[in-house]
Amino acid sequence: MEKTVKSNASEIDIVIAWVDGSDPEWQREKAQFAPSSMPDSASSVRYRDWDNLQYWFRGIEKFAPWVRRIHFITWGHLPEWLNTSSPKLHIVRHSDYIPQEYLPTFNSHTIELNMNRIEGLSEQFIYFNDDMFIIRPVEPEDFFRNGHPCDTYGLNCIYFGQNSAGHFCGSDLEVINTEFKGQKKSIMKRDRKKWYSMKNGAKICLKTRLLSAWDWFPGFHYDHLPSAFLKSTLDEVWSKYGEVLDKTCRDRFRSESNVNQWLFKFWQLCKGCCEVRSPQFGRAFHIDDSNFGELCSTIRDQSCSMICVNDTPETTDPETKMLRVRECFEAILPESSSFEK
């Protein structure tokens, strides 16, 4: 049996990207540039603030106090309540780490692809969107074991649909199947215990088995949840496919041809440098009227460790839903954190 080496919590950072879509200065700068052909690339839904970020910080402090440092990425604006003098907080403006030729950017992929350039970022880090929260106690070993990121191993098909991320997955897979051409079967044989671990769940294992016959990767299981990365993974992909990443970063808004940060996740799975973690560790809710009640009960009952509260074009009556979500977070995280003034 492989011995599990405890991760050194002092070496695990968090990166979170946040934008205040209501900031007039940011809106004026954004208006100077024409969006891409993607229908939602400049949509207000993509930048709508649910005013719940304080609960993200409360969740980190209460449920993951072992985190070494939080790198808070911002265009330049900051929440009025944020305690910027907190010793664990590193404010990172786009201009602090994104190369000048890519700025200004309104493309989340540019913001994410360059994370390895953040000054002082640790080798082990967890990346959060600002709609992803920790809602019950977690340990370093939930994210890194034996110095390796924790993730779910699984093959899947790419879904292409209106407002889907299929285009980005396709671009990611183009890189993956170029880099690991002819290696799929040997990769899956090498890491067979990971790909077919029941920790992944029976349904995911079945999909993986059905999709294992082809010589190329058709796609990977993906949950819209925080991801554990090695900084060296990003460095390696940039060193080998810098032209591909550069092309994405030159798009000021998201475009169908872009790669995204899932490329780093898929790369780590192919390298076999991940430890298996159950997909039940977290849940992602793409909010609509059919799942909103379940979202609220999941937060209140703390029935998983991580949750994504994803605003979508199908999110009706957002003001009411924002208020109810804040009430749910307040029920489990009523006390202010040291990150609040």
Side-chain angles (χ1 to χ4, degrees):
M1 176 180 289
E2 183 180 5
K3 182 180 179 181
T4 297
V5 179
K6 281 188 169 290
S7 293
N8 186 344
S10 65
E11 296 177 353
I12 300 176
D13 286 357
I14 283 179
V15 176
I16 177 172
W18 176 78
V19 63
D20 179 4
S22 65
D23 183 339
E25 291 188 28
W26 177 85
Q27 290 177 345
R28 279 193 292 271
E29 184 171 71
K30 174 171 168 279
Q32 295 176 28
F33 301 93
S36 72
S37 60
M38 288 191 70
D40 74 334
S41 65
S43 168
S44 61
V45 173
R46 294 207 51 75
Y47 309 103
R48 187 159 57 193
D49 183 15
W50 277 51
D51 190 25
N52 55 18
L53 187 67
Q54 63 270 42
Y55 299 108
W56 184 88
F57 280 100
R58 293 180 190 185
I60 296 299
E61 184 163 274
K62 183 174 182 178
F63 301 134
W66 42 265
V67 168
R68 185 191 76 121
R69 203 174 191 195
I70 296 170
H71 302 273
F72 185 77
I73 298 175
T74 170
W75 170 84
H77 36 230
L78 294 169
E80 291 183 359
W81 48 263
L82 186 64
N83 174 19
T84 57
S85 64
S86 171
K88 276 193 173 184
L89 183 62
H90 177 209
I91 303 298
V92 185
R93 291 170 174 77
H94 292 178
S95 58
D96 291 336
Y97 79 104
I98 298 176
Q100 185 62 39
E101 58 265 32
Y102 304 148
L103 296 175
T105 186
F106 309 94
N107 185 343
S108 60
H109 302 153
T110 304
I111 293 167
E112 295 166 344
L113 294 179
N114 289 280
M115 290 186 292
N116 56 318
R117 304 180 195 275
I118 295 175
E119 184 177 357
L121 180 66
S122 63
E123 167 67 0
Q124 299 175 105
F125 72 95
I126 312 163
Y127 174 63
F128 283 73
N129 293 142
D130 62 5
D131 59 359
M132 300 173 180
F133 301 82
I134 293 177
I135 58 173
R136 70 183 186 193
V138 294
E139 299 297 330
E141 292 72 36
D142 291 322
F143 298 93
F144 291 93
R145 292 197 301 274
N146 301 311
H148 300 156
C150 296
D151 211 334
T152 299
Y153 277 77
L155 298 181
N156 205 346
C157 295
I158 299 173
Y159 167 71
F160 291 93
Q162 187 176 16
N163 296 323
S164 78
H167 297 289
F168 312 138
C169 279
S171 296
D172 295 339
L173 264 294
E174 183 177 341
V175 174
I176 291 295
N177 283 313
T178 299
E179 175 66 19
F180 300 99
K181 184 177 181 180
Q183 299 180 48
K184 180 191 172 195
K185 291 186 177 180
S186 62
I187 286 171
M188 297 192 69
K189 181 179 180 180
R190 179 196 66 202
D191 298 318
R192 181 178 179 81
K193 290 183 179 180
K194 294 181 179 180
W195 287 102
Y196 294 105
S197 169
M198 290 310 295
K199 288 182 181 179
N200 296 312
K203 185 177 180 180
I204 291 175
C205 286
L206 177 59
K207 285 184 181 180
T208 298
R209 181 70 185 92
L210 293 173
L211 295 169
S212 64
W214 284 268
D215 293 331
W216 38 268
F217 290 100
F220 297 86
H221 173 81
Y222 183 81
D223 291 311
H224 193 57
L225 290 166
S227 295
F229 289 125
L230 297 176
K231 179 177 175 290
S232 55
T233 297
L234 280 67
D235 292 338
E236 183 179 19
V237 178
W238 268 101
S239 69
K240 293 189 173 184
Y241 292 91
E243 290 185 7
V244 175
L245 275 60
D246 173 78
K247 184 178 179 182
T248 288
C249 292
R250 291 185 183 278
D251 287 334
R252 296 201 188 277
F253 295 87
R254 302 204 316 180
S255 176
E256 290 95 336
S257 63
N258 287 174
V259 295
N260 66 2
Q261 50 103 359
W262 301 345
L263 171 59
F264 305 137
K265 168 194 173 75
F266 303 157
W267 188 281
Q268 290 180 161
L269 291 172
C270 290
K271 286 281 189 175
C273 67
C274 297
E275 301 292 334
V276 181
R277 184 180 67 195
S278 168
Q280 300 303 314
F281 187 66
R283 291 195 63 186
F285 288 88
H286 305 286
I287 303 171
D288 58 31
D289 292 339
S290 69
N291 62 19
F292 187 68
E294 188 178 3
L295 162 66
C296 292
S297 63
T298 299
I299 297 173
R300 285 182 174 273
D301 297 342
Q302 298 173 270
S303 53
C304 60
S305 297
M306 305 187 300
I307 194 167
C308 177
V309 184
N310 185 224
D311 193 3
T312 75
E314 286 72 46
T315 305
T316 61
D317 193 10
E319 293 298 329
T320 299
K321 287 183 170 62
M322 289 178 192
L323 178 60
R324 286 193 58 192
V325 166
R326 289 196 294 270
E327 289 172 348
C328 292
F329 279 126
E330 186 68 23
I332 66 169
L333 292 164
E335 298 178 357
S336 297
S337 72
S338 64
F339 297 99
E340 298 169 64
K341 293 177 181 177

